[in-house]
Amino acid sequence: MRLAGMVVAILSTSVAWAGGGEVDPSVYVPYTPRSNPRITAKWGPDALSGINRLRKEAALEVARFSECDEISTSQLSEARSVPPKTWIVVVACRNGRKFYVSRDDVANGARSMMVPKGGSPT
């Protein structure tokens, strides 16, 4: 019985909870200068920690929305972001929904960030 409790404890640490949704931490594995040299060159190495934090926070925030069945990715949107300090993260769900999330969105918990698969706001 004690072993079962330890297994549950270990497994529960591998999933982050946000509201009612789960987010696998592999969705927001931190960017590093080595793994993402293009992003590092464009936004600077000092920006990586903030971008990584936003990727995680955005995934956790989006996981609360019923419109998202499961988070599949949380990545910096290079097309919507402006170096060096304006970061927009795109969080994609397995059901095709995408959320474009800024720091302000995370701070406000705004639902205005949802964009359907077609790309136009709902």
Side-chain angles (χ1 to χ4, degrees):
M1 187 67 166
R2 187 170 183 198
L3 178 61
M6 288 174 47
V7 170
V8 168
I10 290 168
L11 292 176
S12 67
T13 61
S14 69
V15 175
W17 289 87
E22 298 178 14
V23 180
D24 185 326
S26 68
V27 166
Y28 48 80
V29 170
Y31 292 161
T32 66
R34 186 176 184 159
S35 67
N36 297 88
R38 186 181 70 247
I39 289 173
T40 303
K42 197 169 183 179
W43 276 270
D46 294 338
L48 290 182
S49 65
I51 291 169
N52 287 329
R53 185 172 42 258
L54 179 58
R55 289 177 55 228
K56 179 179 179 178
E57 291 171 349
L60 295 173
E61 184 67 29
V62 170
R64 297 182 327 114
F65 297 154
S66 61
E67 294 90 351
C68 184
D69 59 345
E70 182 181 350
I71 307 291
S72 59
T73 62
S74 180
Q75 303 293 326
L76 179 69
S77 171
E78 293 184 65
R80 293 183 183 221
S81 299
V82 181
K85 297 197 182 225
T86 303
W87 312 319
I88 306 295
V89 169
V90 60
V91 178
C93 305
R94 296 230 186 268
N95 63 3
R97 297 282 184 171
K98 289 184 180 177
F99 295 75
Y100 292 90
V101 185
S102 69
R103 288 183 275 191
D104 289 341
D105 291 325
V106 169
N108 299 325
R111 290 185 58 91
S112 61
M113 61 185 135
M114 189 177 86
V115 175
K117 191 174 186 175
S120 60
T122 56

